[in-house]
Amino acid sequence: MEANKPKLIVDGKRLDGRDFDELRPIKIEAGVLKNADGSAYLEWGKNKVFAAVYGPREALPKHTADPERAVIKCRYAMAPFSSLEEHGRSGPNRRAIEISKVTKEVFENVIMGENFPGTEISIFIEVVQSDGGTRAAGITAAAVALATSGIPMRDLPFAVSAGKIGDHVVIDLNKIEDNYSDADVPIAISPRTGEILLLQMDGSLTREEFKEAVAKVKKAGQVISKIQREALKAPYEKISNKYK
Amino acid sequence: MEIVVPGEMILDKPIHMENTFIENEKTYAAVLGVFDREKKTLIPLEGLWYPKHGELVVGIITEERPNSYVVDLNAPYKGILIAKYVRDRLSVGDIIEATVKELDETKTVVLMREKKLYGGKIIDVKPSKVPRIIGRNNTMIKQLVEGTKSTIVVGMNGRIWIKGGDIALTTEAILRIQDEAHTSGLTDRIREMLEKSKTTKSE
Amino acid sequence: MQNINSIKSAYIKEMLNNGVRSERGLFDYRSISVSRNIIPNAEGSAEVNLGSTKVLAGVKIDIDEPMPDKPNEGNLVMSAELLPLASADYDTGPPSPEAIELARVVDRGIRAANVIDTESLFISEGKVWSVFIDIYIMNYDGNLFDASTLAAMAALTSTRMPKYEDEKVIREGKLEKLKINNIVTSCTYAKIGNRIILDPNGDEESVMDSRLTIANDETYIRAMQKGLSGSFKESEINELVDMTFEKSKDLRSIINKLSD
């Protein structure tokens, strides 16, 4: 109901004190899960996400295999204890299945799968705590996990949501902003080319507002990409520094 | 040492190198790795194995078929040994070393010249670390064998077979080489580690 | 593949025949670390690392209806997921028999030990609290039972009860802690050939013939589960029960020493 809609912008700042273009704090740790071929743990504001990669490995069941390239599979799921609200159901629901699909499509673009025909590369994203923007967090973490697996890629994609709250186009909506926003636009980008690999929209925007959103996403992406790169380099630099 | 990530531009001109790709006349890294600007090489820090003819591998027989044996190589692709060329009878569970003949059109690694390995223990490491475990001119592997008295067969697929000697020490040394492969002074540190263990044992 | 793991681990059988185990004693636990409140959105949570086995437990408390046969009691609902990211051997899809067994065994230990007084979860006729405990296996390296029991116990000791006011569930503000009446822990043993070891890792589990989990508190055995198709002698089980009462002291002390 309009009457119950909270004010999301107070004195030019968002409820959590951020500016319109400000990202929540992001921390990434690469290689946290021992069994997976590649993995990463990411905290983005209050979001906490594990991403893991298995593969390339034999595609099973056999009928899912592609003789020309690796098949990319993706599972995005939220833990039943991840939300501030009630206990959720176990296993992916329809929303999670849609997110799994569009996430898979991001990585199908950048993974050089033609090197591994007949195999599958499985990406797992488990959200253990959620606060809006989990699909962007998942994609950003999965890119790091893939890089730690050694699977060749043309780029390291990142993702972030843009949105409209009040009359302003903002970056990186948290849960409450997402609930009451006029638009929520998750976007994933291939930073090397600037091309858009994921684009969804929920709500309404003018054409100008949309352009503004994309520009803000690209700008925020510079910060996100840097954090991804640093997470990948950190374990090696730490050991190197020990033995300099 | 330049650590690069996938999609990072490493050269302003097109040079063909492993683990890279070329687009718009520029060369980009395809994997997380160490770029040597002088030697023009990109060494992956993580590891996938691309089978090459003549490489030695260590595998495990997982299936016996009418005309062949299926071999697990801890790799994206399975290995195969053609039964009629096999020296001794093999069974499921046997550990073998073999040589890569080719990656055939069904994406199976055709193996030849197999030799059964009895007993021992297998360690799987990242294939990209194998060159460091062997060392330039075999310096590292020789040091390991002398220092531990283990028999060690290093498969280019990242699968290593160890038998006899101080298996715990050999395992520890190999895993440490894997962790520190990208650093300098590693050969000396491993030598110290092996010597220290010898003195501790004799005390 | 199970086959590959058991072949790679064949050397373990030989070592154990000589009474030797890699890197620890036959009845030693691997290093254990427990952190609580790692998922602040949940009412309670904990992460346990037992060697390389990593388990998350999350507690959520909702308003619910009581079970028809227990109209004056709230509910304790335990479930476990062997997440596909935890091991190459885990698939996506509905919970496997292994996941279900894990959840039910951990549940029985906690329930029998009366860790929570379910009557205290009663609100009014037809309205009770349900305490949902979800065990999330993040990395498998053996002995999910002990790691999961520790994680569930640690999560419960950190759990805050929501309030029910004006027909609404309130999860913020100053909340009371869930009253915990007891601490239960479990010890899991693997039988490999004729040897029995405590806290098997993943490699050891790939060659084990039989498994025994014993949950207990200071006085009582609270749950038991024998797994896999091998067997135990009665005398072996009695010895392991005695050993469990000894070993569980350290496990209980880990729970008692937790601070937020």
Side-chain angles (χ1 to χ4, degrees):
Chain A
M1 256 179 40
E2 273 298 319
N4 287 336
K5 197 165 150 170
K7 273 196 107 161
L8 296 174
I9 298 181
V10 177
D11 293 334
K13 296 250 184 204
R14 296 150 78 172
L15 288 179
D16 58 5
R18 281 188 288 154
D19 289 326
F20 302 144
D21 292 353
E22 205 178 324
L23 286 167
R24 290 170 284 175
I26 302 173
K27 255 177 30 183
I28 307 179
E29 206 187 322
V32 298
L33 297 174
K34 299 242 162 63
N35 290 340
D37 294 316
S39 62
Y41 171 68
L42 178 149
E43 291 185 352
W44 187 322
K46 293 193 191 146
N47 290 309
K48 294 180 190 227
V49 173
F50 283 89
V53 173
Y54 280 87
R57 57 182 180 179
E58 192 184 353
L60 291 169
K62 287 207 160 80
H63 68 81
T64 61
D66 182 340
E68 309 269 300
R69 56 181 39 83
V71 162
I72 313 299
K73 297 183 179 171
C74 179
R75 170 191 139 114
Y76 160 103
M78 295 178 75
F81 46 75
S82 58
S83 94
L84 211 40
E85 311 302 326
E86 301 93 44
H87 181 249
R89 279 174 25 194
S90 279
N93 57 13
R94 286 157 58 89
R95 169 186 168 275
I97 291 172
E98 183 196 3
I99 293 175
S100 301
K101 175 180 189 287
V102 294
T103 299
K104 176 187 73 128
E105 290 161 354
V106 168
F107 293 105
E108 278 173 335
N109 181 288
V110 295
I111 290 175
M112 294 164 74
E114 59 278 7
N115 295 336
F116 304 101
T119 68
E120 70 176 35
I121 293 171
S122 283
I123 302 169
F124 299 106
I125 295 168
E126 299 288 342
V127 177
V128 294
Q129 179 161 278
S130 67
D131 187 28
T134 55
R135 88 193 63 190
I139 288 168
T140 304
V144 173
L146 278 162
T148 67
S149 72
I151 291 171
M153 294 192 287
R154 287 179 211 286
D155 207 346
L156 208 56
F158 69 85
V160 67
S161 62
K164 183 173 166 195
I165 55 178
D167 293 313
H168 302 274
V169 173
V170 305
I171 272 288
D172 189 18
L173 306 176
N174 62 25
K175 181 117 210 286
I176 188 167
E177 291 175 327
D178 186 6
N179 285 345
Y180 296 106
S181 67
D182 295 314
D184 173 32
V185 190
I187 299 179
I189 293 191
S190 177
R192 182 174 61 84
T193 60
E195 288 181 348
I196 295 178
L197 305 181
L198 177 145
L199 173 63
Q200 296 178 279
M201 185 167 110
D202 200 358
S204 306
L205 286 178
T206 66
R207 279 170 285 183
E208 289 70 38
E209 284 168 342
F210 174 65
K211 288 194 191 126
E212 197 186 337
V214 178
K216 286 186 194 254
V217 162
K218 285 191 170 168
K219 187 142 183 279
Q222 288 170 1
V223 175
I224 303 170
S225 287
K226 183 154 181 273
I227 296 173
Q228 287 173 307
R229 285 198 304 272
E230 283 169 0
L232 285 170
K233 298 182 187 187
Y236 295 99
E237 285 171 347
K238 183 167 167 213
I239 297 180
S240 286
N241 289 335
K242 200 168 154 195
Y243 297 116
K244 267 219 169 85
Chain B
M1 178 182 65
E2 260 182 271
I3 299 183
V4 295
V5 302
E8 203 171 322
M9 183 177 82
I10 53 180
L11 287 171
D12 213 341
K13 46 190 196 246
I15 306 267
H16 287 277
M17 281 181 270
E18 265 181 45
N19 304 306
T20 68
F21 64 96
I22 292 171
E23 202 169 283
N24 295 330
E25 307 284 297
K26 300 199 208 303
T27 311
Y28 296 90
V31 298
L32 173 66
V34 178
F35 178 52
D36 189 323
R37 208 164 274 279
E38 281 170 23
K39 295 194 193 131
K40 302 270 186 300
T41 57
L42 177 57
I43 308 292
L45 282 169
E46 299 298 330
L48 287 181
W49 172 60
Y50 297 87
K52 292 197 188 67
H53 172 84
E55 282 186 326
L56 186 74
V57 297
V58 172
I60 299 175
I61 308 287
T62 55
E63 213 184 308
E64 212 179 314
R65 291 187 182 159
N67 299 317
S68 60
Y69 296 95
V70 178
V71 186
D72 180 276
L73 297 169
N74 195 38
Y77 299 115
K78 295 230 178 318
I80 201 159
L81 276 169
I82 308 297
K84 66 181 180 202
Y85 301 134
V86 158
R87 256 196 305 214
D88 310 304
R89 271 283 341 262
L90 297 171
S91 349
V92 170
D94 283 348
I95 301 172
I96 56 156
E97 62 169 73
T99 306
V100 173
K101 179 161 179 249
E102 61 178 352
L103 184 66
D104 74 10
E105 67 283 352
T106 71
K107 295 300 168 188
T108 317
V109 185
V110 181
L111 300 171
M112 55 185 181
R113 292 193 231 124
E114 89 298 341
K115 188 174 115 186
K116 209 157 133 170
L117 299 171
Y118 295 86
K121 172 186 174 181
I122 283 188
I123 312 175
D124 286 334
V125 300
K126 295 176 197 168
S128 61
K129 313 293 175 179
V130 166
R132 201 65 196 85
I133 293 170
I134 295 176
R136 214 177 331 160
N137 297 323
N138 296 323
T139 40
M140 186 69 89
I141 187 77
K142 274 192 197 150
Q143 180 171 267
L144 278 173
V145 169
E146 274 164 29
T148 63
K149 304 283 182 270
S150 296
T151 308
I152 309 176
V153 177
V154 180
M156 298 307 288
N157 57 329
R159 185 157 270 177
I160 301 178
W161 180 79
I162 315 172
K163 184 171 179 178
D166 190 342
I167 291 197
L169 181 61
T170 318
T171 306
E172 198 190 329
I174 289 175
L175 293 177
R176 187 164 169 192
I177 297 169
Q178 179 177 228
D179 282 341
E180 299 174 18
H182 61 290
T183 59
S184 54
L186 181 58
T187 315
D188 292 332
R189 287 200 298 280
I190 298 292
R191 190 189 57 236
E192 276 166 37
M193 177 187 163
L194 296 171
E195 277 170 12
K196 194 165 155 200
S197 169
K198 221 190 305 179
T199 16
T200 326
K201 281 181 167 56
S202 55
E203 272 159 16
Chain C
M1 276 166 282
Q2 278 309 113
N3 258 346
I4 293 295
N5 291 337
S6 54
I7 292 164
K8 282 174 65 179
S9 303
Y11 75 95
I12 290 177
K13 285 197 225 188
E14 210 186 295
M15 283 179 75
L16 283 176
N17 275 338
N18 298 326
V20 180
R21 190 182 190 187
S22 288
E23 294 173 16
R24 49 182 166 139
L26 300 176
F27 298 107
D28 289 341
Y29 268 102
R30 290 166 285 175
S31 70
I32 302 177
S33 77
V34 182
S35 322
R36 294 189 303 185
N37 291 319
I38 45 146
I39 310 283
N41 274 5
E43 275 67 83
S45 60
E47 174 179 320
V48 168
N49 287 291
L50 170 57
S52 296
T53 288
K54 187 194 274 290
V55 175
L56 291 185
V59 180
K60 278 303 233 179
I61 304 183
D62 286 346
I63 295 286
D64 212 343
E65 282 171 11
M67 286 296 180
D69 56 333
K70 298 203 163 115
N72 298 321
E73 289 179 43
N75 302 310
L76 178 63
V77 183
M78 179 101 54
S79 74
E81 275 207 59
L82 306 181
L83 294 179
L85 53 56
S87 164
D89 297 329
Y90 292 167
D91 291 320
T92 54
S96 60
E98 283 70 40
I100 291 174
E101 181 189 30
L102 175 63
R104 288 172 65 88
V105 171
V106 176
D107 175 287
R108 285 198 285 272
I110 289 184
R111 206 178 286 275
N114 297 312
V115 171
I116 304 173
D117 175 8
T118 45
E119 283 181 10
S120 73
L121 300 175
F122 174 81
I123 299 171
S124 61
E125 192 182 325
K127 268 202 178 52
V128 299
W129 292 111
S130 277
V131 177
F132 294 93
I133 306 173
D134 288 284
I135 293 166
Y136 247 35
I137 308 298
M138 308 302 292
N139 194 69
Y140 165 79
D141 192 16
N143 199 1
L144 299 182
F145 287 89
D146 296 354
S148 300
T149 305
L150 273 175
M153 251 336 296
L156 285 170
T157 62
S158 75
T159 297
R160 299 170 308 275
M161 278 303 295
K163 290 198 272 229
Y164 189 57
E165 280 168 14
D166 303 321
E167 319 246 311
K168 278 208 284 267
V169 175
I170 304 196
R171 294 173 214 271
E172 301 121 26
K174 196 146 197 328
L175 298 173
E176 296 282 307
K177 273 195 124 172
L178 171 66
K179 187 157 185 296
I180 298 298
N181 297 320
N182 199 0
I183 294 179
V184 71
T185 62
S186 68
C187 291
T188 295
Y189 305 88
K191 190 168 178 186
I192 298 174
N194 286 323
R195 264 320 153 173
I196 297 179
I197 54 177
L198 171 66
D199 180 31
N201 64 21
D203 289 344
E204 290 164 339
E205 287 196 348
S206 71
V207 291
M208 73 181 166
D209 301 306
S210 202
R211 185 191 62 221
L212 183 64
T213 299
I214 301 166
N216 67 316
D217 56 25
E218 282 170 352
T219 324
Y220 290 96
I221 304 169
R222 295 295 190 176
M224 297 179 96
Q225 183 88 348
K226 177 251 175 204
L228 302 182
S229 45
S231 63
F232 285 95
K233 297 194 193 114
E234 188 184 344
S235 58
E236 286 172 336
I237 295 179
N238 287 324
E239 278 169 30
L240 295 179
V241 167
D242 288 342
M243 183 176 307
T244 299
F245 275 91
E246 255 317 296
K247 295 284 175 183
S248 57
K249 292 177 187 167
D250 289 335
L251 297 176
R252 275 197 302 277
S253 122
I254 290 175
I255 299 286
N256 280 323
K257 292 204 179 118
L258 289 173
S259 56
D260 287 329

